Amino acid sequence: MLFKKILFYLLAAFTLLIPAFYNGYPLVYSDTGSYVASGMDLVIPEHRTIMYGLFIRFFSFNFSIWLVVFVQSLIVSYVLWHITRVINKTISKRLFLIGLSLLSWFTGLGWYTSQIMPDIFTVTAIGTLLLLALKKDYKIYQKVIFSLLLVFSINAHFSNYLISILTVLGLFVITRTKFIPNAKKELSFLLPTIIVTLSILTGSLINYAVGSTFKINQGSHVFLMGKMLDSGVLKSFLVDECKNDNYVLCNCKDSLPVTSRELLWNTNSPLYQNGGWTGSEKPFNDILFDIFTSPKHLALFTYNAILSSVSQLFQNDVGSGLVSNWYKDPTSPPYAQIAKHFPFELNQYKQTRQNGNLWDQGLDFTFINYINNMFLVISLGLLFYIFTSKTKRKSIDIHAQLIIVTFLLGIAVNAIVVGSLANVYDRLQSRISWMLIFCMLLLLLSKKEFLKKKTASFLSKQKSY
């Protein structure tokens, strides 16, 4: 029995690595290099959390990047399996693996689990939050596993702190309404709240242990300033206020970078001329504080945040940032860090589809995105049709309703957080939007289970006659 369980989880993990096997090596992104460097060199990045870097350090065993994506695939499949079993405890493992393989290839699921990036852990954060909140008879060791996964998932990416908190708050509010009758009895928010709090404390303690600072985010002021630049709020504020105050950016208000990417990464930008990521903290925070206390500019920021959040919901293309000739350049951070820390895998890295391989084959997401977007629309339509009808909604198991509502809430919260505070970008939404399709599959599974129970009940009554 134990052997079969282990074999199942291994198969599930390998199923989520289909894109990595197709590529010939785990996929990399422009930020991959800094994550690898932070963990392997034990340096807290100015603009990233170190937790995922430590994950790379620990699970690579200083041997192979393949082990990192395998472990994260194992984690994701473990969480998805337990979520599925909340709806149907008798679901066939074979059916689950088939569904997982289709999602792995045609949605963002496999393409994110196959990346050396922490983006996939936004889903595991929301999933483990829900599993801990459900009043199910989980064994102690399972609750411990869910808790540890939640602590790690929240700390894997800065956005997950706020996404997790807002998801818990949103779910708490929804379950206090009549939208899902009796939902209040099915959930307990005590344990998730405790674990989320411990997650924040854990992030601070790890930063102190590695870099002697309790501060979780070293660069929040820079990212937020970048958002102010992209939205036009910064320009408006400087034009209005530089005649009254001599802010650090007043001398370049007429020559600001065009985009936040230029502000953050161009070494000639005002950021690096004013102390860089650490030295700019106080002067940038002075500007940000005055923006948020100015009614006019707060209104402008809020207006832009709403528009950006809605726009973010429509950014769902798989493969954003994965197709680039830059990755095969020895000066690129992913190439440089793999060459430094995993040198025996460098030839394998250079011969991936992502880098054009020996036959000049690349990655093409055209067909994958066609399928992905088509099923996103179908899934959204089906869920809208069911959940806007009180009668139809009642035919769905309450646990299925809670799971679907939680993930729909998570998708919306993700769009709000990254749309308001970061860039409007496909990568940051497609990391979680595939859950819409997963929810549709859970809905169909729930309806099947509901019909099965009704049929069994009807046959039982017939026999009693």
Side-chain angles (χ1 to χ4, degrees):
M1 185 68 178
L2 179 61
F3 174 77
K4 287 184 177 180
K5 185 177 289 189
I6 293 173
L7 180 62
F8 166 70
Y9 282 122
L10 289 176
L11 286 173
F14 280 116
T15 299
L16 292 182
L17 291 179
I18 290 173
F21 291 126
Y22 174 74
N23 182 50
Y25 192 71
L27 295 149
V28 299
Y29 182 74
S30 57
D31 298 340
T32 296
S34 61
Y35 282 115
V36 174
S38 69
M40 302 305 290
D41 298 329
L42 289 180
V43 176
I44 297 178
E46 294 176 324
H47 38 74
R48 318 218 181 276
T49 170
I50 196 174
M51 185 69 87
Y52 187 68
L54 295 176
F55 180 82
I56 293 172
R57 179 187 179 91
F58 186 79
F59 287 110
S60 69
F61 295 97
N62 202 26
F63 173 68
S64 174
I65 283 289
W66 277 104
L67 298 174
V68 178
V69 290
F70 172 74
V71 174
Q72 65 189 33
S73 297
L74 196 62
I75 291 171
V76 174
S77 58
Y78 179 82
V79 173
L80 294 181
W81 171 245
H82 280 280
I83 288 172
T84 304
R85 276 179 53 86
V86 170
I87 293 176
N88 187 342
K89 286 187 176 181
T90 61
I91 181 175
S92 160
K93 289 185 174 68
R94 186 181 301 173
L95 180 62
F96 178 78
L97 290 173
I98 291 172
L100 210 61
S101 63
L102 294 174
L103 289 172
S104 177
W105 182 253
F106 291 110
T107 74
L109 173 56
W111 294 95
Y112 280 96
T113 49
S114 294
Q115 275 187 61
I116 300 297
M117 284 290 289
D119 294 313
I120 193 63
F121 292 110
T122 300
V123 168
T124 59
I126 296 171
T128 49
L129 270 174
L130 178 62
L131 289 170
L132 288 170
L134 285 169
K135 293 179 180 178
K136 301 285 287 183
D137 55 344
Y138 291 117
K139 296 176 181 178
I140 295 297
Y141 82 89
Q142 290 176 313
K143 289 188 177 182
V144 170
I145 292 174
F146 296 153
S147 298
L148 291 175
L149 291 180
L150 178 56
V151 170
F152 167 71
S153 297
I154 288 178
N155 282 284
H157 196 276
F158 285 138
S159 64
N160 293 349
Y161 291 104
L162 191 52
I163 289 171
S164 298
I165 292 170
L166 292 179
T167 300
V168 169
L169 291 174
L171 191 58
F172 179 83
V173 171
I174 290 172
T175 53
R176 264 57 189 173
T177 66
K178 295 181 180 179
F179 183 73
I180 306 178
N182 301 317
K184 189 176 177 180
K185 299 177 182 178
E186 300 294 332
L187 298 176
S188 171
F189 291 94
L190 179 60
L191 185 55
T193 302
I194 292 173
I195 301 302
V196 169
T197 305
L198 287 175
S199 299
I200 298 170
L201 180 60
T202 300
S204 297
L205 290 174
I206 288 176
N207 274 10
Y208 183 76
V210 176
S212 299
T213 175
F214 281 108
K215 194 172 181 182
I216 295 176
N217 192 339
Q218 312 295 312
S220 57
H221 61 287
V222 179
F223 286 113
L224 192 51
M225 188 65 77
K227 182 62 182 179
M228 294 299 178
L229 174 66
D230 286 337
S231 64
V233 174
L234 178 60
K235 175 74 172 179
S236 174
F237 176 80
L238 294 177
V239 169
D240 290 349
E241 301 298 329
C242 279
K243 54 193 173 187
N244 302 319
D245 292 281
N246 188 28
Y247 295 104
V248 71
L249 295 180
C250 283
N251 61 343
C252 62
K253 71 178 190 299
D254 296 320
S255 57
L256 289 169
V258 177
T259 67
S260 59
R261 291 179 67 86
E262 187 179 344
L263 174 70
L264 270 59
W265 312 120
N266 188 332
T267 54
N268 295 318
S269 78
L271 169 64
Y272 298 93
Q273 293 170 5
N274 292 282
W277 286 78
T278 52
S280 64
E281 183 175 7
K282 186 181 183 309
F284 274 28
N285 278 338
D286 288 342
I287 295 174
L288 292 169
F289 178 81
D290 288 348
I291 286 176
F292 283 115
T293 53
S294 163
K296 172 186 174 181
H297 299 100
L298 177 59
L300 286 175
F301 172 78
T302 304
Y303 172 73
N304 180 266
I306 294 170
L307 293 179
S308 297
S309 299
V310 175
S311 179
Q312 182 64 32
L313 285 169
F314 293 87
Q315 314 303 312
N316 296 299
D317 277 0
V318 177
S320 292
L322 297 183
V323 181
S324 174
N325 290 326
W326 180 65
Y327 296 127
K328 61 183 178 182
D329 186 335
T331 63
S332 72
Y335 187 113
Q337 291 303 318
I338 288 171
K340 178 181 178 181
H341 296 290
F342 306 97
F344 90 97
E345 290 189 335
L346 184 59
N347 280 339
Q348 193 178 6
Y349 169 78
K350 290 192 291 186
Q351 294 171 20
T352 61
R353 285 178 178 267
Q354 198 173 16
N355 289 322
N357 72 22
L358 297 176
W359 299 271
D360 201 27
Q361 293 173 306
L363 295 175
D364 186 352
F365 292 93
T366 305
F367 181 69
I368 291 172
N369 278 317
Y370 174 78
I371 299 295
N372 177 60
N373 290 321
M374 179 179 69
F375 275 100
L376 283 175
V377 172
I378 293 172
S379 301
L380 182 62
L382 179 62
L383 291 170
F384 180 81
Y385 175 74
I386 297 292
F387 274 81
T388 52
S389 169
K390 191 174 181 180
T391 305
K392 291 182 175 62
R393 198 165 64 243
K394 281 183 177 180
S395 67
I396 306 172
D397 176 74
I398 188 168
H399 293 118
Q401 292 187 56
L402 287 171
I403 290 171
I404 293 170
V405 166
T406 301
F407 279 111
L408 291 179
L409 178 63
I411 291 170
V413 167
N414 180 80
I416 292 169
V417 170
V418 301
S420 300
L421 304 178
N423 306 106
V424 175
Y425 185 38
D426 291 272
R427 173 191 138 233
L428 296 173
Q429 195 64 25
S430 60
R431 66 180 180 177
I432 190 174
S433 61
W434 59 268
M435 287 304 302
L436 195 64
I437 303 173
F438 184 69
C439 285
M440 179 189 71
L441 297 178
L442 291 180
L443 177 63
L444 296 176
L445 189 65
S446 174
K447 294 288 284 184
K448 179 181 177 182
E449 187 69 8
F450 176 79
L451 290 173
K452 190 189 295 183
K453 288 178 180 178
K454 285 289 187 182
T455 303
S457 176
F458 174 76
L459 293 175
S460 177
K461 288 180 180 178
Q462 293 298 313
K463 287 180 180 179
S464 65
Y465 291 138

